[in-house]
Amino acid sequence: SLRTAPFFRMAADLVVQLSTSLKTKPDVVDFGTVFTDHMLTVEWNANDGWQTPLIRPFGDLSLHPACSALHYAVELFEGLKVYRGDDKRLRLFRPLLNMERMSKSAERACLPAFDQSELLGCIKRLIEIDQDWVPHLGPACLYIRPTFIGTEPSLGVKKPNRALLYVIMCQAGSYFNTELSLWADPKYTRAWKGGTGDCKMGGNYGGTLFAQLEAGSYGCQQVLWLYGEDHQITEGGTMNIFLHWINEDGDEELATPPLDGTILPGVTRQSILDLARKWDEFKVLERYLTMGQLCSALKQQRLKEMFGSGTACRVCHIGSILVFFQNLQLPNQDKHSLSSRIATELTDIQVSR
């Protein structure tokens, strides 16, 4: 069974090996390029289950050349952030949602089950050790990347008998510095029903690079992923998508595609829905959205704003879409835009303002 090997007191059994040579912390870095001094590793095998978790100096991994993650993409990852509040305390933002999503991704990848609270306890200890890496000023934070890979040392498409769960961390500033331009072409599909689009697996991302390069050749920054003959709007780059508009019935509405297996259940996405429903100022729906509906709303001046969300990008305004060689200019963002209000509200929560 996939669920017969829990962690058992993983956080309590944690072993710590501190680095004797700490790195200099840069002032400004690109996302995902400079990592903290330590990492967390936990090995698993089918005979003995989970081994003792270890926090050790950041360094390379040693993998067998036949490792199943390298050949068959038996792997997944997560992304969450820790913030330094105005009161100088450190806070993770809704980490249990990340643990739950990681658990579901692991089950889909046939990787072993783990105790979510125990893993989170180990991550908190890692953050405590490297807490000086959490920026003290500005909007920057520390990005946490739990990663889970099959390390089966043999060829053949099968459930791995060995696995490695590890966590690395890096400083994270702004992922996008300007409003986004998207390129849409239905010849490419990010995910499909019955697939793994709702899981955070690396294969979902590596397969998008070719389309993203083509988007760049047209002067666009990211891809707006369409699905089906009716050109349903699904995601933008690696972001969940939101429309703030006056819907077909004349009602003000915030809409985002439903979680039907093709959409990643983003933590920021869920947080935006939770906030907007709490405000109770307009309709908030998870519904299918098509390019035809978007174009009609734009033509009839019913579109207020389109924006994307994600842990890395936070909340990002979308300024234009190039679709079928037609450049659609979307409404501008200002301080009164819904995305600006949401971004401010989320930041205030994250830094305990």
Side-chain angles (χ1 to χ4, degrees), residues 7 10 14 32 35-36 38-44 50-64 67-70 73-80 98-99 102 106 111-112 114 118-120 122-124 126-127 143-151 162-170 200-202:
F7 272 1
M10 174 187 252
L14 182 63
F35 296 90
T36 66
H38 299 88
M39 62 190 296
L40 168 70
T41 61
V42 199
E43 295 185 4
W44 175 90
W50 288 103
Q51 305 301 295
T52 301
L54 172 66
I55 290 178
R56 64 176 179 85
F58 184 92
D60 294 342
L61 301 175
S62 178
L63 298 175
H64 192 281
C67 171
S68 54
L70 301 178
V74 184
E75 55 81 45
L76 57 100
F77 64 93
E78 265 301 328
L80 61 158
N98 295 94
M99 295 297 99
M102 186 173 181
L111 288 168
F114 58 88
E118 291 289 337
L119 175 57
L120 184 57
C122 292
I123 291 174
K124 288 179 178 179
L126 179 63
I127 294 169
Y143 182 82
I144 304 164
R145 173 54 65 88
T147 308
F148 202 1
I149 64 174
T151 54
R162 293 181 178 273
L164 173 67
L165 196 162
Y166 65 94
V167 181
I168 55 178
M169 305 190 298
C170 64
K200 207 163 178 64
M201 296 178 173

Side-chain angles (χ1 to χ4, degrees), residues 297-317:
L298 193 59
K299 183 177 181 180
Q300 297 167 10
Q301 298 184 333
R302 292 187 288 109
L303 181 65
K304 292 176 174 289
E305 187 182 17
M306 183 175 182
F307 60 90
S309 71
T311 297
C313 70
R314 302 190 183 189
V315 179
C316 190
H317 176 75

Side-chain angles (χ1 to χ4, degrees), residues 13-235:
D13 296 336
L14 182 63
V15 173
V16 176
Q17 296 177 357
L18 295 179
S19 174
T20 58
S21 179
L22 301 182
K23 293 178 280 190
T24 300
K25 301 169 183 63
D27 293 329
V28 180
V29 297
D30 293 331
F31 179 86
T33 58
V34 179
F35 296 90
T36 66
D37 294 301
H38 299 88
M39 62 190 296
L40 168 70
T41 61
V42 199
E43 295 185 4
W44 175 90
N45 66 73
N47 292 328
D48 303 317
W50 288 103
Q51 305 301 295
T52 301
L54 172 66
I55 290 178
R56 64 176 179 85
F58 184 92
D60 294 342
L61 301 175
S62 178
L63 298 175
H64 192 281
C67 171
S68 54
L70 301 178
H71 291 266
Y72 309 114
V74 184
E75 55 81 45
L76 57 100
F77 64 93
E78 265 301 328
L80 61 158
K81 289 179 176 178
V82 59
Y83 300 84
R84 190 181 298 277
D86 288 356
D87 57 1
K88 308 305 179 185
R89 292 181 59 192
L90 301 184
R91 290 177 177 86
L92 287 161
F93 183 68
R94 311 191 81 177
L96 292 176
L97 295 181
N98 295 94
M99 295 297 99
E100 181 180 356
R101 186 172 65 184
M102 186 173 181
S103 179
K104 291 180 178 178
S105 296
E107 183 175 12
R108 187 67 168 85
C110 293
L111 288 168
F114 58 88
D115 187 301
Q116 299 175 33
S117 62
E118 291 289 337
L119 175 57
L120 184 57
C122 292
I123 291 174
K124 288 179 178 179
R125 181 69 178 115
L126 179 63
I127 294 169
E128 181 182 2
I129 291 171
D130 279 347
Q131 61 180 291
D132 287 344
W133 282 84
V134 184
H136 288 262
L137 299 174
C141 55
L142 196 65
Y143 182 82
I144 304 164
R145 173 54 65 88
T147 308
F148 202 1
I149 64 174
T151 54
E152 173 68 34
S154 63
L155 299 179
V157 182
K158 56 193 174 186
K159 184 169 75 76
N161 289 313
R162 293 181 178 273
L164 173 67
L165 196 162
Y166 65 94
V167 181
I168 55 178
M169 305 190 298
C170 64
Q171 286 186 337
S174 298
Y175 197 76
F176 300 120
N177 294 317
T178 61
E179 68 177 21
L180 285 181
S181 58
L182 303 182
W183 174 76
D185 193 317
K187 69 181 179 181
Y188 296 119
T189 302
R190 188 199 79 90
W192 49 92
K193 292 181 180 179
T196 59
D198 57 347
C199 299
K200 207 163 178 64
M201 296 178 173
N204 293 342
Y205 296 80
T208 69
L209 295 178
F210 189 81
Q212 185 173 329
L213 287 175
E214 188 164 343
S217 72
Y218 289 102
C220 298
Q221 296 157 291
Q222 293 289 327
V223 178
L224 178 62
W225 298 102
L226 306 180
Y227 178 75
E229 294 184 359
D230 57 349
H231 301 155
Q232 294 173 20
I233 295 169
T234 60
E235 296 190 5

